[in-house]
Amino acid sequence: MTHNVSQQLFDRAKQVIPGGVNSPVRAFRAVGGSPIFIKSAQGPYIFDEDGRRYIELINSWGPMILGHAQELIQKAISDALQHSFSYGAPTRREVDMAELIVSMVPSIEKVRMVNSGTEATMSAVRVARGFTGRDKMIKFEGCYHGHADSFLIAAGSGAITNGVPDSPGVTRGVANDTLTAPFNDLAAVQLLVEANPAQIAAIILEPVVGNMGLVLPQPGFLEGLRTICDQHGIVLIFDEVMTGFRLSKAGYQGLVDVKPDLTTLGKIIGGGLPVGAYGGRADLMNYVSPAGPVYQAGTLSGNPLAMAAGLAMLTYLDEHPETYTTLDQFGSRLEGGIRAENRKAGRDFTLNRIGSMYTLFMTEQPVTNFADAKSADLPLFGRYFHAMLDRGVYLAPSQFESLFLSTALTNELIDEVLAAHSEALQEILVAA
Ligand code: HOZ
C-alpha cells in the first residue's frame, strides 16, 4: 500500500535526521518498507499523513492507557498551560505527584522526578552504586532500560531490532561493570554473584519484560532475586517504565509478593508527556542530592505541564480500579480470538499476555527468555505487520516489542482487529 505523503516526509527526514527518525525502531527497518508519519490520534485511533485511520495498539508504547487525547488530560494540560510552561523551580504539583505515587506504590517511600525512563534507570543505578560503594550491576539479556551507556549491553527493543545489542561508543570499562544473565535463570544470577563477591551494587530488570516482546517471569524467579539481593546486600531495581500503573495501580509489583528496593517509572506518569521518575526505600533515596551525595539534576524535572497531565492520569487510575478489569477483558478477548484464528490456520504461535500487554511471537516454542524470542521467524513477522497495517491495525514495527491496549477500545474494535488478524494470517501463510 502506498503512503505518498509519509514517503515524501521520510525522504526529507533522511536528509536531516539520522536514519530519518528520532528513535530507531520507528524506521520500520525490522519489517521493511517506510514508516508512516502520524498526523493525529483520537481515542482508539491514530491517523497518518496520507489520511488513513488505524486501530491503535502501540499507544505511544504504553502511556495512552485511556486512549489518545483523553479529555481529562487535555483539560489538565490546558489549565496548566495558562501559567507558563517551565519554571525550573519547585511547584505544588510536584508535591501532589510525589504524594500520589508514594500512596499508590507501597515500595516507594520517596521519589524523584526526571524527564525520561532513560534518566530514571541511569539515576537509580547511580544511587545503588553510591549507596553500596560497589561498581557492578547485573542486567538481563533482552531487557531494555533506555540508552545510557551501561545498559547497552545485550539490550532489547530498538537495540536488538537494529542488530546492535552492544553499542559502539560504550567504553570497555563501562561494559565490564555490566554483567548479564538470561532472563528467568536464577542459577546464572547466583553464579555471577558468587564470582563477583561484594562487587555487585544492583540487579535491574523489567519484572515483566516488554522489550524482547512480552516475556513473563516464571514462578519463583522474582522471589529468588529478592532473596539473593537480601543475602548479598544488592539493590533490587524494578524497571516499571512500561508496566507501572498499567498492570495495576501499583504496577506489576502490585500483583506479586515481591518488593523492589528501587523502582523506575516513565512516560505513563506524564500521561504521554516526557517524564520519568525513580523512587523507593527512603534510606536509598536519601542518598540523592541535595539530601545526600549522589548527584542528579534537571531544569525540566517536574515540568508543570507534564505534572498536570500525569496527576490527572494517575488520579483517574487511583479512583477507577475498574480500568484494570476493562483492560484485562479486552486483552482476554483479543488473546482468545487470536489463538482461535491461529489454530484454524494450523499454526499455534506463542502469545504472551498479561492484562493489556501482549506479544504474538512468530514461533511455536514457548518464549521465556531472549534466546527463545530470537527464534521467532522475523521475515514472517514483517509480512504480518504489513498485512495488519494494510487492514488498518497499527502494531509495533518489531517482533521485540509489546503491544498495549487502551480503554478507548470496544469489543467491536477488538473484533475488527481479529478479522484483520484472520485475513493477515491467511495472506502471510499462503505466501510462506
Ligand atoms: N524503545 C521504545 C519502545 N520499547 C521505542 C520508542 C519509540 O521509538 O518511540
Side-chain angles (χ1 to χ4, degrees):
M1 193 171 278
T2 48
H3 296 93
N4 294 333
V5 182
S6 284
Q7 187 61 56
Q8 284 159 16
L9 287 168
F10 192 46
D11 291 341
R12 278 173 54 199
K14 280 187 287 188
Q15 304 303 313
V16 285
I17 302 174
V21 288
N22 281 314
S23 187
V25 196
R26 300 178 193 176
F28 276 29
R29 291 203 178 177
V31 291
S34 287
I36 54 168
F37 278 61
I38 301 305
K39 187 165 192 176
S40 71
Q42 188 70 51
Y45 296 114
I46 195 157
F47 301 86
D48 72 14
E49 286 278 356
D50 288 275
R52 294 207 174 85
R53 186 184 81 176
Y54 306 87
I55 299 174
E56 227 315 29
L57 298 184
I58 298 185
N59 279 303
S60 189
W61 309 81
M64 297 304 170
I65 294 175
L66 308 177
H68 279 281
Q70 223 271 350
E71 221 171 286
L72 182 82
I73 295 171
Q74 266 189 10
K75 181 171 178 334
I77 297 173
S78 92
D79 287 351
L81 206 54
Q82 320 299 320
H83 305 282
S84 193
F85 328 127
S86 176
Y87 315 121
T91 61
R92 178 186 294 271
R93 283 198 192 88
E94 291 162 85
V95 187
D96 293 341
M97 183 70 149
E99 285 175 350
L100 189 55
I101 291 174
V102 166
S103 75
M104 290 173 79
V105 187
S107 73
I108 298 184
E109 295 170 343
K110 285 197 169 180
V111 61
R112 168 61 64 85
M113 303 304 304
V114 289
N115 298 298
S116 67
T118 292
E119 269 191 58
T121 53
M122 72 185 204
S123 308
V125 167
R126 188 180 302 145
V127 171
R129 288 180 165 141
F131 183 82
T132 58
R134 302 172 182 176
D135 290 344
K136 296 188 179 174
M137 71 163 163
I138 296 176
K139 77 172 279 291
F140 292 89
E141 294 163 6
C143 278
Y144 179 76
H145 305 290
H147 61 86
D149 284 1
S150 53
F151 298 115
L152 291 180
I153 316 290
S157 189
I160 179 61
T161 296
N162 291 297
V164 282
D166 305 297
S167 173
V170 173
T171 66
R172 217 163 313 162
V174 169
N176 286 344
D177 284 336
T178 302
L179 311 176
T180 60
F183 193 74
N184 275 321
D185 189 342
L186 215 45
V189 175
Q190 188 72 48
L191 283 178
L192 285 175
V193 171
E194 282 162 16
N196 296 273
Q199 293 173 67
I200 298 177
I203 295 179
I204 184 167
L205 74 158
E206 304 173 73
V208 167
V209 191
N211 283 296
M212 53 173 117
L214 189 86
V215 174
L216 293 162
Q218 288 182 329
F221 179 58
L222 299 179
E223 292 80 353
L225 292 179
R226 181 66 275 173
T227 304
I228 291 174
C229 287
D230 290 343
Q231 284 168 345
H232 297 273
I234 297 169
V235 176
L236 182 61
I237 306 173
F238 279 4
D239 178 344
E240 295 229 45
V241 165
M242 284 182 172
T243 53
F245 305 101
R246 173 167 274 280
L247 295 184
S248 86
K249 66 181 208 172
Y252 184 62
Q253 59 190 271
L255 301 177
V256 289
D257 199 18
V258 183
K259 299 275 166 283
D261 301 303
L262 292 176
T263 298
T264 59
L265 299 164
K267 40 208 161 205
I268 289 175
I269 60 169
L273 267 63
V275 187
Y278 62 104
R281 274 171 32 199
D283 60 335
L284 282 163
M285 291 306 292
N286 285 336
Y287 257 66
V288 179
S289 184
V294 172
Y295 196 73
Q296 181 273 305
T299 301
L300 293 173
S301 299
N303 173 269
L305 300 188
M307 292 300 96
L311 265 175
M313 171 84 133
L314 296 194
T315 304
Y316 180 89
L317 294 174
D318 196 28
E319 291 171 357
H320 294 85
E322 71 280 7
T323 304
Y324 298 101
T325 317
T326 306
L327 288 171
D328 190 53
Q329 279 164 355
F330 287 149
S332 167
R333 186 180 184 97
L334 197 54
E335 174 180 353
I338 291 175
R339 286 189 190 282
E341 292 301 335
N342 293 353
R343 275 195 299 275
K344 269 194 234 159
R347 297 297 298 271
D348 195 13
F349 292 125
T350 294
L351 189 152
N352 287 350
R353 176 182 79 88
I354 177 166
S356 57
M357 296 174 69
Y358 80 96
T359 297
L360 175 65
F361 288 97
M362 294 297 160
T363 175
E364 297 187 41
Q365 74 170 71
V367 178
T368 63
N369 62 27
F370 198 24
D372 297 336
K374 284 194 289 187
S375 76
D377 182 337
L378 301 183
L380 189 64
F381 177 82
R383 292 202 293 279
Y384 175 69
F385 169 84
H386 281 291
M388 292 295 276
L389 197 68
D390 289 349
R391 291 167 176 81
V393 182
Y394 186 55
L395 305 177
S398 164
Q399 175 73 96
F400 304 114
E401 298 286 351
S402 175
L403 299 176
F404 299 92
L405 309 182
S406 79
T407 55
L409 286 165
T410 58
N411 285 339
E412 290 66 36
L413 287 173
I414 300 277
D415 292 347
E416 279 185 39
V417 173
L418 290 172
H421 173 77
S422 170
E423 285 181 21
L425 218 50
Q426 283 172 32
E427 180 184 311
I428 64 171
L429 293 178
V430 165

